[in-house]
Amino acid sequence: MNKDKFVFFDVETTGLFPDKGDRICEIAAIKVFNNKKIGSFETLINPQRAMPYYAYNVHKISDDMLDDAPAFSVVADSFVDFLENSILCAYNINFDLGFINACLRRCYKPALNLRTIDVLKMARDLLGLKRYKLFMVAEFLGISNPMCYHRAMADSFVVWEVFNKLIDMIAQIGEVNPDVLVKKYGIN
């Protein structure tokens, strides 16, 4: 694990469907090496559309907060550069990566092609819970005051903590190998 960089990231959005016009309104990421934070990336994103009430109810990001925020196209290159040579980790990574890649396509940029680990997939494999909402998994694993506020940076930190607890469980039964993790819990 000590040769690889990991990026724990999360997005907040205007809805659930990037192919139906929903957009990213916040993105955050934490870069980790040897289980120490070595960098972070965080910004609100102007989705260039009004914030639906149901989305605002989830993350409390308002149109007023986004008025002066950059469009995704403005931050796309710096975000992609931040991710370079890292293993991407998110909770339900298909959702977050689906939005990021949809935004990249709209900017005429290639989709991300990095190794991934879905921390939700890990939790489902290792824990015997009925429900797997991030805050429920965090509480089950003994993470005190999990800050799952549906804000990108707070949730990125919780995903990192959940990942560490799950890695500890894997280490108790065998070697922790990033390539095996990517193969078992990654996406194509």
Side-chain angles (χ1 to χ4, degrees), residues 4 35 39 105 148 152 168:
D4 292 292
N35 206 29
R105 278 192 302 276
C148 302
D168 289 345

Side-chain angles (χ1 to χ4, degrees), residues 80-142:
V80 170
D81 289 347
F82 180 80
L83 302 176
E84 188 175 53
N85 298 319
S86 299
I87 298 173
L88 305 183
C89 303
Y91 201 81
N92 191 12
I93 199 165
N94 283 321
F95 178 84
D96 300 85
L97 216 45
F99 269 92
I100 290 169
N101 284 331
C103 287
L104 288 169
R105 278 192 302 276
R106 281 190 293 281
C107 299
Y108 303 101
K109 297 185 180 298
L112 292 176
N113 187 21
L114 296 168
R115 297 180 297 162
T116 61
I117 296 173
D118 187 347
V119 180
L120 171 59
K121 204 177 200 183
M122 287 178 71
R124 285 184 171 148
D125 185 48
L126 296 167
L127 307 174
L129 304 177
K130 291 183 181 184
R131 298 182 69 202
Y132 286 90
K133 290 188 179 235
L134 180 57
F135 80 91
M136 292 175 173
V137 171
E139 287 178 348
F140 178 81
L141 292 172

Side-chain angles (χ1 to χ4, degrees), residues 36-48:
K36 299 219 180 337
K37 177 182 161 189
I38 60 169
S40 63
F41 183 99
E42 180 179 23
T43 186
L44 290 170
I45 303 283
N46 188 324
Q48 301 175 319

Side-chain angles (χ1 to χ4, degrees), residues 42-75:
E42 180 179 23
T43 186
L44 290 170
I45 303 283
N46 188 324
Q48 301 175 319
R49 60 167 288 184
M51 182 63 65
Y53 180 73
Y54 59 84
Y56 169 79
N57 255 359
V58 172
H59 48 56
K60 306 295 188 238
I61 298 172
S62 68
D63 289 326
D64 290 344
M65 294 167 67
L66 301 171
D67 282 344
D68 295 328
F72 183 85
S73 60
V74 174
V75 301

Side-chain angles (χ1 to χ4, degrees), residues 26-40:
E26 184 178 42
I27 193 165
I30 305 159
K31 187 177 283 186
V32 173
F33 182 69
N34 282 334
N35 206 29
K36 299 219 180 337
K37 177 182 161 189
I38 60 169
S40 63

Side-chain angles (χ1 to χ4, degrees), residues 151-165:
R151 291 302 301 266
M153 186 56 80
D155 287 355
S156 295
F157 271 106
V158 173
V159 172
W160 180 19
E161 289 184 81
V162 167
F163 176 83
N164 284 332
K165 295 282 187 175

